[in-house]
Amino acid sequence: MAPTDAVPSEIAGYRVLPISLPPLPSYPVPATHYLYLHPHEPKFPTPTAARALFLVNVPIDSTEIHIKNLLSVQIGLPQGRIEEVQFEGSKKKFEGAEAHAAQSDKGQGKGRKRKRGPNDGDISEIEGTSLPAIWDRELRTDGLTAVVVFVDRASMDAAYKAVKRISKNNDWPVWGEGLEGKVPALGAARYLNHHRLQYPDRQELLESVNAYMTEYSAREAAQARARARQRQVPDEDGFITVTKGGRVDPARQEAAQQLAEKQKEKQKAKQKGLEDFYRFQTREKKKAKAVELMKKFEKDKEMVKRMKERRNTFKPE
């Protein structure tokens, strides 16, 4: 049900999509929620940004099914045109931030040393091996954002135009219409189900723990092999990396020294062509050679003088 007051179609560049909230047993009064949409323009461009919409002020009970239903069937478009919905604060972060982090890492020089963080090498958190969920659906705080990625740019443009048409015609969609029985219920049923999920089946819990321990052991073994390689390969300066493990599988000292010598020879070979690169290097080299010749001349002169003195003092018996 739409109110008589006119609702602006756009605010600060965002298109407004009014949504009718149906009355509930706890609050039997219809209400209106306003959703704001804009083409996704992240600070750091991503491959999917050109075919995505940025949503502001999503309802607190939003799910991916709700958003897909709203921006397809409820605005007069076919289903299956939305690829995914990324909610703010969810475990799956927005793209852009990850892409920028990767670019920043590539931009750093290879010779620059990276400071180890507190979580480097930590394998306590492993994706895909979490314990059984104790909530049947996630609730969100008020005013959060989301990114809706469509299968192509044409689908995104069609949805964006349909929102403008609906806002002008006051034909507002009803939130959750047509999803009865497709999403978990809220209210008392939600907490009854939460109480049941807090005590999962023993077999399900055992499978989750076994999957975690298997993955943990595999990553632990991989880290041990990496540390063993570090103990055997010297760095650019010829030093062996000190790692955990004590005297277990130590590197052979002779092999380490040979590798260090080879590394030093490679370094000298690289610097060999740069000895006379600058003019001052040539001057310094000539000056050092002249000083060395002078020292050698003075030494020979002193030696000749001593020989003459010994010859003049020779007395045959």
Side-chain angles (χ1 to χ4, degrees):
M1 182 177 67
T4 57
D5 296 339
V7 177
S9 60
E10 289 191 9
I11 296 178
Y14 284 79
R15 289 191 179 173
V16 183
L17 176 60
I19 302 172
S20 297
L21 301 179
L24 300 174
S26 59
Y27 187 72
V29 178
T32 305
H33 184 90
Y34 296 96
L35 189 65
Y36 306 93
L37 301 89
H38 191 277
H40 191 35
E41 297 176 352
K43 185 176 180 181
F44 305 104
T46 63
T48 60
R51 53 186 175 93
L53 285 178
F54 183 67
L55 277 58
V56 181
N57 196 33
V58 296
I60 61 172
D61 59 342
S62 299
T63 63
E64 187 169 350
I65 298 176
H66 279 94
I67 301 298
K68 287 184 176 181
N69 184 64
L70 175 66
L71 296 181
S72 57
V73 176
Q74 291 190 278
I75 61 175
L77 298 178
Q79 290 183 336
R81 309 304 296 172
I82 297 178
E83 184 176 307
E84 63 174 336
V85 180
Q86 304 169 355
F87 290 98
E88 178 187 357
S90 60
K91 291 183 179 179
K92 187 173 183 180
K93 304 295 183 184
F94 294 161
E95 293 177 307
E98 296 178 354
H100 176 249
Q103 292 177 359
S104 299
D105 292 342
K106 290 181 180 179
Q108 293 180 353
K110 293 183 179 180
R112 184 180 300 175
K113 294 184 179 179
R114 182 178 63 89
K115 294 182 179 179
R116 289 182 58 87
N119 296 327
D120 286 356
D122 186 16
I123 56 177
S124 58
E125 296 184 2
I126 301 176
E127 296 180 359
T129 57
S130 58
L131 293 173
I134 60 175
W135 293 100
D136 52 9
R137 63 184 289 186
E138 184 180 358
L139 294 182
R140 314 186 187 282
T141 57
D142 187 25
L144 287 186
T145 62
V147 174
V148 182
V149 181
F150 291 80
V151 293
D152 51 27
R153 178 63 182 267
S155 301
M156 188 272 286
D157 292 336
Y160 197 51
K161 293 178 181 178
V163 168
K164 185 176 182 180
R165 184 187 69 251
I166 289 174
S167 180
K168 286 184 177 180
N169 298 337
N170 290 336
D171 186 16
W172 300 349
V174 179
W175 182 250
E177 187 177 28
L179 298 180
E180 293 79 5
K182 296 182 180 180
V183 292
L186 297 177
R190 167 179 169 82
Y191 292 95
L192 288 174
N193 196 26
H194 169 62
H195 178 74
R196 182 183 61 81
L197 292 175
Q198 283 184 310
Y199 304 93
D201 180 69
R202 182 178 182 277
Q203 184 62 29
E204 181 182 3
L205 185 61
L206 184 62
E207 291 177 357
S208 176
V209 173
N210 288 339
Y212 178 88
M213 294 306 300
T214 301
E215 184 66 20
Y216 185 92
S217 299
R219 295 195 181 192
E220 197 175 33
Q223 287 187 355
R225 291 193 295 270
R227 287 195 295 267
R229 287 194 297 269
Q230 288 179 349
R231 288 197 297 267
Q232 296 174 1
V233 179
D235 57 12
E236 296 179 355
D237 299 326
F239 294 98
I240 301 297
T241 304
V242 179
T243 60
K244 294 190 296 184
R247 297 182 178 274
V248 179
D249 192 19
R252 293 179 57 188
Q253 190 68 19
E254 295 180 359
Q257 290 179 355
Q258 292 177 359
L259 290 173
E261 291 296 332
K262 290 181 180 180
Q263 193 70 24
K264 289 181 180 179
E265 290 177 1
K266 290 181 180 180
Q267 194 70 17
K268 289 180 180 179
K270 290 181 181 179
Q271 297 177 354
K272 188 175 181 180
L274 301 177
E275 291 179 354
D276 300 331
F277 185 78
Y278 295 102
R279 186 175 297 175
F280 78 90
Q281 290 178 324
T282 305
R283 291 198 303 267
E284 294 292 335
K285 191 174 182 180
K286 289 182 178 179
K287 188 184 296 184
K289 189 174 182 180
V291 171
E292 185 178 355
L293 290 174
M294 286 295 297
K295 289 182 179 179
K296 189 176 180 182
F297 175 75
E298 294 294 335
K299 185 177 179 181
D300 292 343
K301 186 177 179 182
E302 186 67 24
M303 185 174 63
V304 171
K305 182 180 180 181
R306 288 198 300 269
M307 291 175 62
K308 287 181 178 180
E309 290 177 353
R310 286 199 302 269
R311 185 180 59 185
N312 294 334
T313 59
F314 177 72
K315 295 181 179 181
E317 295 179 358

PDB file of all heavy atoms in Angstrom, residues 157-183:
ATOM      1  N   ASP A 157      21.252  -3.012 -16.153  1.00  0.00           N
ATOM      2  CA  ASP A 157      20.574  -1.815 -16.651  1.00  0.00           C
ATOM      3  C   ASP A 157      19.059  -1.976 -16.624  1.00  0.00           C
ATOM      4  O   ASP A 157      18.328  -1.033 -16.287  1.00  0.00           O
ATOM      5  CB  ASP A 157      21.041  -1.504 -18.073  1.00  0.00           C
ATOM      6  CG  ASP A 157      22.496  -1.058 -18.122  1.00  0.00           C
ATOM      7  OD1 ASP A 157      22.984  -0.565 -17.093  1.00  0.00           O
ATOM      8  OD2 ASP A 157      23.135  -1.202 -19.179  1.00  0.00           O
ATOM      9  N   ALA A 158      18.575  -3.167 -16.963  1.00  0.00           N
ATOM     10  CA  ALA A 158      17.134  -3.409 -16.957  1.00  0.00           C
ATOM     11  C   ALA A 158      16.566  -3.302 -15.550  1.00  0.00           C
ATOM     12  O   ALA A 158      15.495  -2.715 -15.325  1.00  0.00           O
ATOM     13  CB  ALA A 158      16.835  -4.783 -17.549  1.00  0.00           C
ATOM     14  N   ALA A 159      17.276  -3.850 -14.564  1.00  0.00           N
ATOM     15  CA  ALA A 159      16.805  -3.755 -13.181  1.00  0.00           C
ATOM     16  C   ALA A 159      16.837  -2.317 -12.687  1.00  0.00           C
ATOM     17  O   ALA A 159      15.921  -1.867 -11.984  1.00  0.00           O
ATOM     18  CB  ALA A 159      17.666  -4.652 -12.288  1.00  0.00           C
ATOM     19  N   TYR A 160      17.869  -1.575 -13.067  1.00  0.00           N
ATOM     20  CA  TYR A 160      17.991  -0.187 -12.627  1.00  0.00           C
ATOM     21  C   TYR A 160      16.861   0.681 -13.209  1.00  0.00           C
ATOM     22  O   TYR A 160      16.314   1.553 -12.532  1.00  0.00           O
ATOM     23  CB  TYR A 160      19.357   0.346 -13.059  1.00  0.00           C
ATOM     24  CG  TYR A 160      19.793   1.599 -12.343  1.00  0.00           C
ATOM     25  CD1 TYR A 160      19.783   1.678 -10.956  1.00  0.00           C
ATOM     26  CD2 TYR A 160      20.232   2.711 -13.063  1.00  0.00           C
ATOM     27  CE1 TYR A 160      20.194   2.824 -10.305  1.00  0.00           C
ATOM     28  CE2 TYR A 160      20.652   3.858 -12.415  1.00  0.00           C
ATOM     29  CZ  TYR A 160      20.620   3.908 -11.031  1.00  0.00           C
ATOM     30  OH  TYR A 160      21.022   5.051 -10.390  1.00  0.00           O
ATOM     31  N   LYS A 161      16.501   0.427 -14.475  1.00  0.00           N
ATOM     32  CA  LYS A 161      15.398   1.169 -15.097  1.00  0.00           C
ATOM     33  C   LYS A 161      14.054   0.770 -14.494  1.00  0.00           C
ATOM     34  O   LYS A 161      13.156   1.607 -14.317  1.00  0.00           O
ATOM     35  CB  LYS A 161      15.398   0.927 -16.598  1.00  0.00           C
ATOM     36  CG  LYS A 161      16.599   1.525 -17.320  1.00  0.00           C
ATOM     37  CD  LYS A 161      16.570   1.200 -18.804  1.00  0.00           C
ATOM     38  CE  LYS A 161      17.798   1.776 -19.514  1.00  0.00           C
ATOM     39  NZ  LYS A 161      17.823   1.422 -20.965  1.00  0.00           N
ATOM     40  N   ALA A 162      13.889  -0.517 -14.180  1.00  0.00           N
ATOM     41  CA  ALA A 162      12.626  -0.981 -13.598  1.00  0.00           C
ATOM     42  C   ALA A 162      12.383  -0.357 -12.233  1.00  0.00           C
ATOM     43  O   ALA A 162      11.235  -0.069 -11.866  1.00  0.00           O
ATOM     44  CB  ALA A 162      12.639  -2.506 -13.500  1.00  0.00           C
ATOM     45  N   VAL A 163      13.443  -0.126 -11.464  1.00  0.00           N
ATOM     46  CA  VAL A 163      13.299   0.512 -10.151  1.00  0.00           C
ATOM     47  C   VAL A 163      12.748   1.926 -10.312  1.00  0.00           C
ATOM     48  O   VAL A 163      11.871   2.358  -9.551  1.00  0.00           O
ATOM     49  CB  VAL A 163      14.661   0.523  -9.423  1.00  0.00           C
ATOM     50  CG1 VAL A 163      14.611   1.428  -8.195  1.00  0.00           C
ATOM     51  CG2 VAL A 163      15.060  -0.883  -9.017  1.00  0.00           C
ATOM     52  N   LYS A 164      13.229   2.642 -11.302  1.00  0.00           N
ATOM     53  CA  LYS A 164      12.745   4.002 -11.543  1.00  0.00           C
ATOM     54  C   LYS A 164      11.273   3.990 -11.950  1.00  0.00           C
ATOM     55  O   LYS A 164      10.478   4.837 -11.509  1.00  0.00           O
ATOM     56  CB  LYS A 164      13.589   4.665 -12.620  1.00  0.00           C
ATOM     57  CG  LYS A 164      13.249   6.127 -12.858  1.00  0.00           C
ATOM     58  CD  LYS A 164      14.185   6.748 -13.875  1.00  0.00           C
ATOM     59  CE  LYS A 164      13.868   8.230 -14.082  1.00  0.00           C
ATOM     60  NZ  LYS A 164      14.781   8.861 -15.068  1.00  0.00           N
ATOM     61  N   ARG A 165      10.868   3.030 -12.776  1.00  0.00           N
ATOM     62  CA  ARG A 165       9.476   2.944 -13.208  1.00  0.00           C
ATOM     63  C   ARG A 165       8.547   2.635 -12.043  1.00  0.00           C
ATOM     64  O   ARG A 165       7.469   3.235 -11.895  1.00  0.00           O
ATOM     65  CB  ARG A 165       9.363   1.868 -14.288  1.00  0.00           C
ATOM     66  CG  ARG A 165       7.957   1.756 -14.889  1.00  0.00           C
ATOM     67  CD  ARG A 165       7.838   0.570 -15.828  1.00  0.00           C
ATOM     68  NE  ARG A 165       7.893  -0.698 -15.115  1.00  0.00           N
ATOM     69  CZ  ARG A 165       8.914  -1.537 -15.165  1.00  0.00           C
ATOM     70  NH1 ARG A 165       9.987  -1.238 -15.863  1.00  0.00           N
ATOM     71  NH2 ARG A 165       8.877  -2.670 -14.489  1.00  0.00           N
ATOM     72  N   ILE A 166       8.961   1.716 -11.192  1.00  0.00           N
ATOM     73  CA  ILE A 166       8.120   1.338 -10.052  1.00  0.00           C
ATOM     74  C   ILE A 166       7.976   2.496  -9.082  1.00  0.00           C
ATOM     75  O   ILE A 166       6.907   2.740  -8.526  1.00  0.00           O
ATOM     76  CB  ILE A 166       8.728   0.102  -9.357  1.00  0.00           C
ATOM     77  CG1 ILE A 166       8.567  -1.135 -10.242  1.00  0.00           C
ATOM     78  CG2 ILE A 166       8.089  -0.141  -7.999  1.00  0.00           C
ATOM     79  CD1 ILE A 166       9.245  -2.365  -9.712  1.00  0.00           C
ATOM     80  N   SER A 167       9.052   3.237  -8.871  1.00  0.00           N
ATOM     81  CA  SER A 167       8.997   4.371  -7.950  1.00  0.00           C
ATOM     82  C   SER A 167       8.034   5.443  -8.454  1.00  0.00           C
ATOM     83  O   SER A 167       7.310   6.066  -7.661  1.00  0.00           O
ATOM     84  CB  SER A 167      10.401   4.945  -7.759  1.00  0.00           C
ATOM     85  OG  SER A 167      10.376   6.047  -6.876  1.00  0.00           O
ATOM     86  N   LYS A 168       7.989   5.666  -9.771  1.00  0.00           N
ATOM     87  CA  LYS A 168       7.091   6.680 -10.317  1.00  0.00           C
ATOM     88  C   LYS A 168       5.637   6.240 -10.284  1.00  0.00           C
ATOM     89  O   LYS A 168       4.732   7.039 -10.033  1.00  0.00           O
ATOM     90  CB  LYS A 168       7.503   6.999 -11.768  1.00  0.00           C
ATOM     91  CG  LYS A 168       8.765   7.841 -11.877  1.00  0.00           C
ATOM     92  CD  LYS A 168       9.046   8.191 -13.327  1.00  0.00           C
ATOM     93  CE  LYS A 168      10.261   9.105 -13.434  1.00  0.00           C
ATOM     94  NZ  LYS A 168      10.560   9.468 -14.864  1.00  0.00           N
ATOM     95  N   ASN A 169       5.376   4.955 -10.545  1.00  0.00           N
ATOM     96  CA  ASN A 169       4.001   4.453 -10.616  1.00  0.00           C
ATOM     97  C   ASN A 169       3.416   4.127  -9.246  1.00  0.00           C
ATOM     98  O   ASN A 169       2.246   3.725  -9.164  1.00  0.00           O
ATOM     99  CB  ASN A 169       3.946   3.204 -11.502  1.00  0.00           C
ATOM    100  CG  ASN A 169       4.360   3.494 -12.931  1.00  0.00           C
ATOM    101  OD1 ASN A 169       4.284   4.629 -13.384  1.00  0.00           O
ATOM    102  ND2 ASN A 169       4.816   2.460 -13.633  1.00  0.00           N
ATOM    103  N   ASN A 170       4.213   4.263  -8.188  1.00  0.00           N
ATOM    104  CA  ASN A 170       3.762   3.914  -6.832  1.00  0.00           C
ATOM    105  C   ASN A 170       3.299   2.465  -6.719  1.00  0.00           C
ATOM    106  O   ASN A 170       2.452   2.121  -5.881  1.00  0.00           O
ATOM    107  CB  ASN A 170       2.631   4.846  -6.385  1.00  0.00           C
ATOM    108  CG  ASN A 170       3.124   6.257  -6.122  1.00  0.00           C
ATOM    109  OD1 ASN A 170       4.300   6.458  -5.835  1.00  0.00           O
ATOM    110  ND2 ASN A 170       2.242   7.233  -6.226  1.00  0.00           N
ATOM    111  N   ASP A 171       3.843   1.615  -7.587  1.00  0.00           N
ATOM    112  CA  ASP A 171       3.527   0.185  -7.536  1.00  0.00           C
ATOM    113  C   ASP A 171       4.626  -0.523  -6.751  1.00  0.00           C
ATOM    114  O   ASP A 171       5.482  -1.202  -7.301  1.00  0.00           O
ATOM    115  CB  ASP A 171       3.429  -0.369  -8.962  1.00  0.00           C
ATOM    116  CG  ASP A 171       2.965  -1.820  -8.984  1.00  0.00           C
ATOM    117  OD1 ASP A 171       2.433  -2.277  -7.955  1.00  0.00           O
ATOM    118  OD2 ASP A 171       3.152  -2.481 -10.027  1.00  0.00           O
ATOM    119  N   TRP A 172       4.584  -0.342  -5.437  1.00  0.00           N
ATOM    120  CA  TRP A 172       5.691  -0.781  -4.604  1.00  0.00           C
ATOM    121  C   TRP A 172       5.618  -2.273  -4.306  1.00  0.00           C
ATOM    122  O   TRP A 172       4.532  -2.797  -3.983  1.00  0.00           O
ATOM    123  CB  TRP A 172       5.709   0.001  -3.299  1.00  0.00           C
ATOM    124  CG  TRP A 172       5.852   1.482  -3.525  1.00  0.00           C
ATOM    125  CD1 TRP A 172       6.159   2.112  -4.684  1.00  0.00           C
ATOM    126  CD2 TRP A 172       5.674   2.496  -2.547  1.00  0.00           C
ATOM    127  NE1 TRP A 172       6.214   3.464  -4.516  1.00  0.00           N
ATOM    128  CE2 TRP A 172       5.909   3.740  -3.196  1.00  0.00           C
ATOM    129  CE3 TRP A 172       5.354   2.504  -1.198  1.00  0.00           C
ATOM    130  CZ2 TRP A 172       5.828   4.955  -2.549  1.00  0.00           C
ATOM    131  CZ3 TRP A 172       5.281   3.711  -0.537  1.00  0.00           C
ATOM    132  CH2 TRP A 172       5.511   4.937  -1.205  1.00  0.00           C
ATOM    133  N   PRO A 173       6.747  -2.964  -4.368  1.00  0.00           N
ATOM    134  CA  PRO A 173       6.738  -4.399  -4.049  1.00  0.00           C
ATOM    135  C   PRO A 173       6.591  -4.634  -2.549  1.00  0.00           C
ATOM    136  O   PRO A 173       6.972  -3.792  -1.726  1.00  0.00           O
ATOM    137  CB  PRO A 173       8.106  -4.871  -4.560  1.00  0.00           C
ATOM    138  CG  PRO A 173       8.970  -3.657  -4.510  1.00  0.00           C
ATOM    139  CD  PRO A 173       8.075  -2.490  -4.798  1.00  0.00           C
ATOM    140  N   VAL A 174       6.029  -5.786  -2.215  1.00  0.00           N
ATOM    141  CA  VAL A 174       5.865  -6.188  -0.816  1.00  0.00           C
ATOM    142  C   VAL A 174       7.041  -7.077  -0.433  1.00  0.00           C
ATOM    143  O   VAL A 174       7.336  -8.066  -1.122  1.00  0.00           O
ATOM    144  CB  VAL A 174       4.527  -6.930  -0.605  1.00  0.00           C
ATOM    145  CG1 VAL A 174       4.385  -7.367   0.855  1.00  0.00           C
ATOM    146  CG2 VAL A 174       3.360  -6.038  -1.013  1.00  0.00           C
ATOM    147  N   TRP A 175       7.706  -6.719   0.630  1.00  0.00           N
ATOM    148  CA  TRP A 175       8.919  -7.435   1.050  1.00  0.00           C
ATOM    149  C   TRP A 175       8.588  -8.881   1.414  1.00  0.00           C
ATOM    150  O   TRP A 175       7.730  -9.156   2.231  1.00  0.00           O
ATOM    151  CB  TRP A 175       9.549  -6.729   2.232  1.00  0.00           C
ATOM    152  CG  TRP A 175      10.817  -7.346   2.729  1.00  0.00           C
ATOM    153  CD1 TRP A 175      11.002  -8.003   3.903  1.00  0.00           C
ATOM    154  CD2 TRP A 175      12.084  -7.366   2.063  1.00  0.00           C
ATOM    155  NE1 TRP A 175      12.289  -8.428   4.014  1.00  0.00           N
ATOM    156  CE2 TRP A 175      12.985  -8.039   2.898  1.00  0.00           C
ATOM    157  CE3 TRP A 175      12.531  -6.869   0.840  1.00  0.00           C
ATOM    158  CZ2 TRP A 175      14.310  -8.232   2.546  1.00  0.00           C
ATOM    159  CZ3 TRP A 175      13.856  -7.071   0.494  1.00  0.00           C
ATOM    160  CH2 TRP A 175      14.726  -7.752   1.339  1.00  0.00           C
ATOM    161  N   GLY A 176       9.307  -9.819   0.775  1.00  0.00           N
ATOM    162  CA  GLY A 176       9.136 -11.242   1.065  1.00  0.00           C
ATOM    163  C   GLY A 176       7.945 -11.890   0.401  1.00  0.00           C
ATOM    164  O   GLY A 176       7.669 -13.065   0.681  1.00  0.00           O
ATOM    165  N   GLU A 177       7.275 -11.184  -0.490  1.00  0.00           N
ATOM    166  CA  GLU A 177       6.100 -11.761  -1.153  1.00  0.00           C
ATOM    167  C   GLU A 177       6.530 -12.891  -2.099  1.00  0.00           C
ATOM    168  O   GLU A 177       7.440 -12.739  -2.913  1.00  0.00           O
ATOM    169  CB  GLU A 177       5.361 -10.680  -1.943  1.00  0.00           C
ATOM    170  CG  GLU A 177       4.038 -11.147  -2.526  1.00  0.00           C
ATOM    171  CD  GLU A 177       3.312 -10.022  -3.240  1.00  0.00           C
ATOM    172  OE1 GLU A 177       3.995  -9.097  -3.753  1.00  0.00           O
ATOM    173  OE2 GLU A 177       2.075 -10.047  -3.267  1.00  0.00           O
ATOM    174  N   GLY A 178       5.874 -14.016  -1.995  1.00  0.00           N
ATOM    175  CA  GLY A 178       6.194 -15.177  -2.811  1.00  0.00           C
ATOM    176  C   GLY A 178       7.284 -16.061  -2.245  1.00  0.00           C
ATOM    177  O   GLY A 178       7.660 -17.054  -2.878  1.00  0.00           O
ATOM    178  N   LEU A 179       7.812 -15.731  -1.084  1.00  0.00           N
ATOM    179  CA  LEU A 179       8.888 -16.535  -0.474  1.00  0.00           C
ATOM    180  C   LEU A 179       8.407 -17.320   0.737  1.00  0.00           C
ATOM    181  O   LEU A 179       9.236 -17.782   1.529  1.00  0.00           O
ATOM    182  CB  LEU A 179      10.052 -15.624  -0.069  1.00  0.00           C
ATOM    183  CG  LEU A 179      10.756 -14.862  -1.188  1.00  0.00           C
ATOM    184  CD1 LEU A 179      11.875 -14.008  -0.633  1.00  0.00           C
ATOM    185  CD2 LEU A 179      11.302 -15.822  -2.243  1.00  0.00           C
ATOM    186  N   GLU A 180       7.108 -17.461   0.893  1.00  0.00           N
ATOM    187  CA  GLU A 180       6.585 -18.185   2.042  1.00  0.00           C
ATOM    188  C   GLU A 180       7.058 -19.645   2.004  1.00  0.00           C
ATOM    189  O   GLU A 180       6.880 -20.348   1.011  1.00  0.00           O
ATOM    190  CB  GLU A 180       5.049 -18.147   2.051  1.00  0.00           C
ATOM    191  CG  GLU A 180       4.463 -16.767   2.281  1.00  0.00           C
ATOM    192  CD  GLU A 180       4.476 -15.888   1.043  1.00  0.00           C
ATOM    193  OE1 GLU A 180       4.872 -16.400  -0.040  1.00  0.00           O
ATOM    194  OE2 GLU A 180       4.111 -14.709   1.138  1.00  0.00           O
ATOM    195  N   GLY A 181       7.681 -20.073   3.082  1.00  0.00           N
ATOM    196  CA  GLY A 181       8.184 -21.436   3.173  1.00  0.00           C
ATOM    197  C   GLY A 181       9.542 -21.654   2.539  1.00  0.00           C
ATOM    198  O   GLY A 181      10.099 -22.756   2.646  1.00  0.00           O
ATOM    199  N   LYS A 182      10.115 -20.628   1.882  1.00  0.00           N
ATOM    200  CA  LYS A 182      11.428 -20.773   1.240  1.00  0.00           C
ATOM    201  C   LYS A 182      12.584 -20.263   2.099  1.00  0.00           C
ATOM    202  O   LYS A 182      13.741 -20.571   1.803  1.00  0.00           O
ATOM    203  CB  LYS A 182      11.431 -20.032  -0.099  1.00  0.00           C
ATOM    204  CG  LYS A 182      10.454 -20.603  -1.115  1.00  0.00           C
ATOM    205  CD  LYS A 182      10.549 -19.857  -2.436  1.00  0.00           C
ATOM    206  CE  LYS A 182       9.574 -20.424  -3.460  1.00  0.00           C
ATOM    207  NZ  LYS A 182       9.650 -19.699  -4.758  1.00  0.00           N
ATOM    208  N   VAL A 183      12.278 -19.474   3.123  1.00  0.00           N
ATOM    209  CA  VAL A 183      13.303 -18.981   4.043  1.00  0.00           C
ATOM    210  C   VAL A 183      12.883 -19.328   5.468  1.00  0.00           C
ATOM    211  O   VAL A 183      11.684 -19.404   5.766  1.00  0.00           O
ATOM    212  CB  VAL A 183      13.491 -17.449   3.892  1.00  0.00           C
ATOM    213  CG1 VAL A 183      14.093 -17.115   2.548  1.00  0.00           C
ATOM    214  CG2 VAL A 183      12.179 -16.713   4.077  1.00  0.00           C
TER     215      VAL A 183
END
